[in-house]
Amino acid sequence: MAMTMSERLLHRALGYLRLCGLDIDAVVERRVLGVVSRVIAEEAVHGKPIDETAAYTRLMTQLDDAFTPPEPLLPPVTPTMVRGSIGYAP
Amino acid sequence: MTKPSWKRAAFVRRSVLTLVVVGQTALGVTIMRQVLPYQGGNAVEIGLLALFAVLFGWISVGFWVGFTGFVVRLAGGDPQGLLQRHSRGVLEATPLARTAIVMPIYNEPIARTLGGLRAIYRSLEETGQLEHFEFHILSDSRDPDHWLSEKTVWYELCRELGAFGRLFYRRRPINMNYKSGNVADFLRRWGRRYEYMIVLDADSIMDGGTLVDMVRLMEREPGVGIIQTSPGIVNAESMFARAQQFSSRLYGPMFTAGLSAYQLGEAAYWGHNAIIRVAPFMAHCGLRKLRGFGPFRGPISSHDFVEAAYMARAGYEVWLEPELQGSYEESPPSLVDELARDKRWAKGNLQHLWLLLFGRRLRMAHRLALLNGVMSYLASPLWLAFLGLTTVATARLVLFPIDYFPVPHSPFPVWPKWNPEWALGLAGATVLLLFLPKWLALIDVALRGRSADFGGGFRLLLSVLLEILVSTLMAPIRMLSHSRHVVEGLSGVKLRWAGQNRSEETTWREALVDQAPGSLLAGCWAILAWWLDPLFFFWSLPVAIPLIVAAPVSVVSARISVGAFLKRYGLLQSPEERNTVAVISAVREAQTVVSERGDRSAFIHVVVDPVLNRVHVATTRDNRPGVKSETIARLVARCEREGPENLTSREVTQLALSRGALESLHRRAWRAPSDSFWGRAVDERIGT
């Protein structure tokens, strides 16, 4: 069965936060539900179908404001450069 | 300054080898002359004798190297050997120096290469000496999905191993001068950070203890520039690879011991599984482009022998140390893959002819090592020419009246003589030179009580016979292919440097396309031989039959199921299959772990996954020189609309190399509707 818009928003929000490394517990779920409710309320105007792109855009913006996912540890890709030259004998 | 003792030993040993080989070859040529009907009295026979002299001398060297190895091992090792100079206690008390472990890769299977590196890392960790080592993955991969995947796996490995700041990844934006150019690029940037570097191949496996020993040996021997280990083949699955593995494990140690006994401090570097003293390597081993003509112009593609020669020219010793265990590599899975690799090597080795003749101040031992490399391939067209001249000589005898006066202006007739018993004797001697070392290796294993490692006495015997059969079937195929490679190499056919196939089987179509010309040629030759003389036909069969059945041999030998069948019955077994070697088992385990992380559509993964996107953004420069921001903006818009599948590899690369593009695409992907490309990619990633 096709998902409703609010279900799609919820899945995407939870999926995003999970991939960002956030533990999805009951508190997080309640806060995400709140964000999704707000997005639906703000996007659903005059009984028209919700614009999906606009809803996702609003969702992602609000998620960024509401949550601070853990910063991934970033390894140095290379060590500090110590320039040297190669000798070319005849 | 006194000469090191090994130099005296090297002079004596090499002189004796030269005398024996020259004497044996002279005897062989004398007998061959008697075998020929006109005793070398015409141009064809003179050509035959000249070719025979070169080829008989060549196989004689191989025989005596093997025989010497047998004797050295029987005597308990070479007293001149590098490892023999230091007791275990002294070595263990030697402090280590900072060492880089570098793995240059180029479109290689990621699970295997980086899985191997993971196993090596773990093995080194277990020695408790990890703090002295740093790992560098040096990628030359071009396909954006491939190198993004490499970088993703690098990040995952850093996290899993806790290797932040110890495991590094560098991808060259421009490939120049093949693998040696990649290593030189590393050295220019970070060479001065390290005392030593250990160079690995994509399929190298090295035990941590061996790596530590190599560094300690270098610390103990400041005059040594390179120590080369002798990697044994492991992890073979197909029948072809198992035969290679078996011969490498059974005959390899004996031949390596023999080779090392003659080379001593003037050995060759094989390009991987070796430790290099960085400072002299940087100072003296830069490879200039060749300034000759045709194939002798441009970058040197087979760099290792040349680098060893330059290191020795700078006054440093280069050692092959057969006693260093725990060094492994893998075999190409099939004959087709081996021959594809040989095509590159053949061209590279032929280039050495230029250095052999015009390289300045190279040591004689290294000129001979270069010659040895050249002959590895040049021997094939010489054998082919020998067969061709034999056919011409037979045709002359059959089709033309006997020439009683082959020597111009001579009043004395020459009566053609046939000495079939001499011919048989000579053929027997040649077979002996080729195969006796294999039996000596078997005796060597039996004397050491190690037959069980190879499946026990009976299976070992069967395996040697099977390996002889396989190598006999493949020798003519290799001869014909190498001849083609030599001709192509010398005629300047463009070289394509590609990653090796390390796992796939050969299809019938591939084998037929590859082998059909050789099979056709051999079939025609056999028919001609029959028509000329049935006896000559029978002489031609050992070469003609393998070529005629080359396609099925190629397919069957590449089958993993055939290899598994042999393994089940303990045939072509190697010691590492019987006795578990931790680092090899770790590679198999790591392959599984890493392959779960590898992704064919890595670009999509990097765009969608928030953590990976942040990692790639953080490790990518913002603006790539030469690419305009408008171009990137246009590509981002197209990629958002159509997905990366509709972009060229070059366009995807431009996006993947732009921090802004990766950030922008990530933002857009998560805002994309579910029925769009990126919406589906996001839903797939989060498992909706």
Side-chain angles (χ1 to χ4, degrees):
Chain A
M1 202 172 76
M3 285 196 287
T4 62
M5 187 65 223
S6 54
E7 284 174 325
R8 287 208 293 273
L9 287 168
L10 185 63
H11 272 285
R12 191 168 284 197
L14 288 173
Y16 179 76
L17 293 175
R18 184 173 50 79
L19 288 175
C20 282
L22 210 68
D23 285 332
I24 309 294
D25 55 15
V27 178
V28 172
E29 280 178 357
R30 268 200 303 277
R31 287 176 64 197
V32 171
L33 277 172
V35 170
V36 170
S37 305
R38 274 199 304 281
V39 169
I40 294 284
E42 286 160 8
E43 286 297 320
V45 279
H46 307 303
K48 284 183 186 169
I50 293 173
D51 179 78
E52 209 181 343
T53 308
Y56 281 137
T57 304
R58 195 177 289 274
L59 173 76
M60 296 312 291
T61 310
Q62 295 203 8
L63 279 181
D64 284 346
D65 295 340
F67 295 93
T68 314
E71 273 299 313
L73 288 170
L74 296 175
V77 71
T78 55
T80 316
M81 212 182 286
V82 194
R83 281 227 178 258
S85 55
I86 304 284
Y88 293 88
Chain B
M1 207 172 102
T2 53
K3 273 188 177 180
S5 69
W6 66 263
K7 287 206 169 179
R8 230 177 5 260
F11 176 75
V12 173
R13 291 175 185 183
R14 290 170 195 170
S15 303
V16 171
L17 178 70
T18 308
L19 278 175
V20 171
V21 168
V22 169
Q24 188 170 300
T25 306
L27 183 67
V29 170
T30 309
I31 297 171
M32 180 67 180
R33 194 163 165 260
Q34 297 305 314
V35 169
L36 296 172
Y38 295 106
Q39 284 86 56
N42 59 41
V44 173
E45 292 192 351
I46 290 169
L48 273 171
L49 283 174
L51 287 171
F52 180 82
V54 175
L55 294 168
F56 197 75
W58 168 244
I59 59 170
S60 298
V61 172
F63 170 82
W64 286 108
V65 165
F67 182 80
T68 307
F70 176 73
V71 174
V72 165
R73 283 169 65 82
L74 206 61
D78 190 342
Q80 297 289 341
L82 204 56
L83 206 55
Q84 301 256 352
R85 295 180 191 167
H86 310 284
S87 70
R88 184 89 272 205
V90 167
L91 267 190
E92 278 174 7
T94 307
L96 276 80
R98 196 183 238 191
T99 303
I101 295 182
V102 301
M103 180 184 266
I105 50 175
Y106 180 31
N107 293 337
E108 303 282 354
I110 297 166
R112 170 60 192 85
T113 49
L114 300 191
L117 202 62
R118 177 188 186 263
I120 295 168
Y121 189 99
R122 285 270 193 236
S123 179
L124 203 44
E125 199 170 39
E126 279 165 21
T127 65
Q129 303 291 347
L130 186 63
E131 57 180 323
H132 302 285
F133 294 85
E134 288 180 353
F135 291 71
H136 289 261
I137 302 162
L138 307 177
S139 173
D140 260 345
S141 300
R142 308 321 297 161
D143 173 29
D145 267 332
H146 199 95
W147 63 259
L148 283 170
S149 202
E150 287 170 359
K151 205 168 168 185
T152 301
V153 172
W154 158 77
Y155 169 70
E156 299 285 358
L157 283 180
C158 282
R159 282 202 333 177
E160 183 206 343
L161 300 169
F164 286 39
R166 191 169 300 288
L167 173 57
F168 302 108
Y169 178 86
R170 148 98 175 149
R171 178 183 164 269
R172 276 201 302 174
I174 299 168
N175 294 22
M176 277 176 72
N177 303 338
Y178 312 118
K179 183 176 164 184
S180 65
N182 196 357
V183 174
D185 175 85
F186 160 77
L187 290 172
R188 280 192 198 96
R189 285 172 163 75
W190 300 288
R192 285 175 53 220
R193 196 177 156 88
Y194 304 102
E195 196 69 34
Y196 308 111
M197 69 169 170
I198 293 171
V199 183
L200 302 178
D201 214 358
D203 60 4
S204 293
I205 304 171
M206 292 198 78
D207 181 74
T210 306
L211 296 171
V212 169
D213 279 348
M214 288 163 81
V215 177
R216 285 178 169 151
L217 259 181
M218 289 297 260
E219 283 288 273
R220 283 271 150 205
E221 298 283 347
V224 173
I226 300 175
I227 300 175
Q228 173 66 58
T229 65
S230 170
I233 293 176
V234 290
N235 288 339
E237 291 186 315
S238 66
M239 178 191 173
F240 173 83
R242 285 187 68 76
Q244 300 290 98
Q245 174 179 275
F246 176 76
S247 59
S248 122
R249 302 310 285 140
L250 181 65
Y251 319 137
M254 193 184 79
F255 276 101
T256 311
L259 192 62
S260 170
Y262 288 111
Q263 292 181 329
L264 293 170
E266 292 172 324
Y269 162 46
W270 299 348
H272 57 92
N273 295 40
I275 186 166
I276 292 172
R277 194 176 296 276
V278 171
F281 189 83
M282 285 179 72
H284 306 289
C285 298
L287 301 181
R288 278 184 192 282
K289 288 184 177 173
L290 296 180
R291 294 171 187 167
F293 57 90
F296 306 111
R297 192 171 186 83
I300 295 170
S301 51
S302 287
H303 56 96
D304 35 24
F305 275 35
V306 184
E307 287 160 347
Y310 287 1
M311 190 63 112
R313 181 170 69 178
Y316 287 85
E317 296 171 16
V318 180
W319 284 84
L320 165 63
E321 185 43 76
E323 300 292 321
L324 279 169
Q325 306 295 313
S327 173
Y328 310 96
E329 62 177 335
E330 291 179 0
S331 160
S334 70
L335 182 63
V336 170
D337 292 303
E338 186 198 74
L339 294 177
R341 183 197 65 184
D342 281 354
K343 186 175 179 174
R344 300 194 305 271
W345 286 8
K347 183 168 181 182
N349 284 15
L350 286 171
Q351 279 187 323
H352 293 166
L353 268 174
W354 189 264
L355 292 161
L356 173 70
L357 296 172
F358 304 114
R360 288 188 213 163
R361 295 188 293 110
L362 298 184
R363 292 196 185 165
M364 182 50 78
H366 282 114
R367 286 191 202 274
L368 290 175
L370 294 174
L371 179 65
N372 187 46
V374 171
M375 273 303 286
S376 307
Y377 295 98
L378 200 59
S380 288
L382 296 183
W383 277 115
L384 196 62
F386 184 78
L387 293 175
L389 284 185
T390 312
T391 311
V392 171
T394 311
R396 280 174 60 130
L397 273 176
V398 175
L399 302 178
F400 298 101
I402 292 173
D403 180 6
Y404 291 99
F405 296 94
V407 183
H409 316 300
S410 168
F412 305 106
V414 176
W415 304 99
K417 280 191 285 185
W418 285 268
N419 296 306
E421 67 287 356
W422 288 71
L424 279 174
L426 198 57
T430 308
V431 168
L432 199 72
L433 289 179
L434 289 171
F435 294 111
L436 185 61
K438 299 195 179 206
W439 297 104
L440 289 178
L442 192 144
I443 295 169
D444 175 75
V445 163
L447 289 177
R448 287 164 183 266
R450 290 186 54 232
S451 304
D453 286 349
F454 293 88
F458 180 65
R459 287 199 185 92
L460 174 58
L461 191 67
L462 272 184
S463 297
V464 169
L465 291 171
L466 185 60
E467 190 281 326
I468 288 176
L469 175 71
V470 171
S471 57
T472 307
L473 280 173
M474 298 206 170
I477 307 173
R478 286 190 175 115
M479 174 193 70
L480 205 61
S481 292
H482 288 176
S483 302
R484 199 179 65 204
H485 297 160
V486 168
V487 172
E488 286 176 357
L490 291 176
S491 61
V493 170
K494 197 165 167 54
L495 188 67
R496 215 181 91 243
W497 203 261
Q500 286 179 34
N501 167 31
R502 300 189 191 272
S503 57
E504 285 169 22
E505 296 187 343
T506 306
T507 62
W508 276 101
R509 187 187 149 78
E510 201 178 358
L512 284 168
V513 168
D514 245 50
Q515 307 298 344
S519 301
L520 206 65
L521 189 71
C524 294
W525 183 53
I527 293 168
L528 175 71
W530 178 263
W531 180 67
L532 287 172
D533 181 355
L535 190 61
F536 181 54
F537 168 76
F538 290 116
W539 277 97
S540 76
L541 289 183
V543 176
I545 290 177
L547 284 170
I548 291 168
V549 298
V553 165
S554 192
V555 171
V556 172
S557 64
R559 288 268 159 89
I560 290 172
S561 58
V562 180
F565 174 83
L566 294 170
K567 188 176 182 180
R568 200 160 52 244
Y569 289 97
L571 292 171
L572 297 177
Q573 184 176 298
S574 69
E576 286 76 17
E577 287 177 333
R578 180 172 182 253
N579 315 309
T580 311
V581 178
V583 71
I584 299 173
S585 310
V587 171
R588 284 189 213 114
E589 177 207 312
Q591 267 180 271
T592 318
V593 174
V594 173
S595 65
E596 286 163 8
R597 297 169 186 160
D599 197 330
R600 282 180 60 77
S601 51
F603 180 76
I604 298 173
H605 210 143
V606 167
V607 166
V608 171
D609 191 290
V611 173
L612 284 185
N613 186 265
R614 234 174 285 181
V615 170
H616 283 266
V617 164
T619 54
T620 302
R621 280 189 300 183
D622 198 14
N623 285 314
R624 209 173 151 228
V627 183
K628 290 181 180 168
S629 51
E630 303 90 72
T631 310
I632 293 291
R634 206 177 56 245
L635 284 176
V636 166
R638 254 186 73 203
C639 189
E640 183 190 8
R641 222 169 36 245
E642 303 167 17
E645 272 92 358
N646 290 316
L647 269 59
T648 63
S649 179
R650 186 185 146 83
E651 288 169 335
V652 175
T653 300
Q654 286 179 338
L655 289 175
L657 288 175
S658 161
R659 177 186 293 189
L662 288 178
E663 272 177 329
S664 173
L665 280 169
H666 175 70
R667 228 174 15 253
R668 292 170 193 226
W670 281 90
R671 286 158 176 77
S674 303
D675 59 353
S676 67
F677 175 86
W678 288 108
R680 281 192 296 275
V682 164
D683 286 344
E684 200 176 298
R685 182 74 187 95
I686 61 181
T688 300

